[in-house]
Amino acid sequence: MNLTFNLEPVYAIIMAFLFFNESKQVNHSFYIGLSLIITSVVLQTFISIRKK
């Protein structure tokens, strides 16, 4: 559940790429930031699962 809520901005970005063709304005820093967000959400979920 935590993973779903934290990745909502990523889902919105992917939908903007698909439906509004917004992929023309992104560069390498966007993908680096996106990977950092996904990594932090996955690590947070993994840590919270291990604590239980």
Side-chain angles (χ1 to χ4, degrees):
M1 180 112 155
N2 190 17
L3 186 64
T4 304
F5 286 129
N6 289 332
L7 286 178
E8 283 181 0
V10 177
Y11 299 148
I13 291 168
I14 291 171
M15 288 191 328
F17 282 166
L18 295 175
F19 296 120
F20 302 118
N21 199 18
E22 293 289 331
S23 62
K24 298 177 230 162
Q25 300 175 356
V26 297
N27 53 18
H28 295 296
S29 62
F30 167 79
Y31 292 110
I32 292 170
L34 183 64
S35 65
L36 288 174
I37 291 170
I38 291 173
T39 302
S40 67
V41 169
V42 169
L43 285 175
Q44 178 187 6
T45 304
F46 179 71
I47 291 169
S48 67
I49 289 172
R50 283 192 62 149
K51 284 185 179 181
K52 291 181 182 180

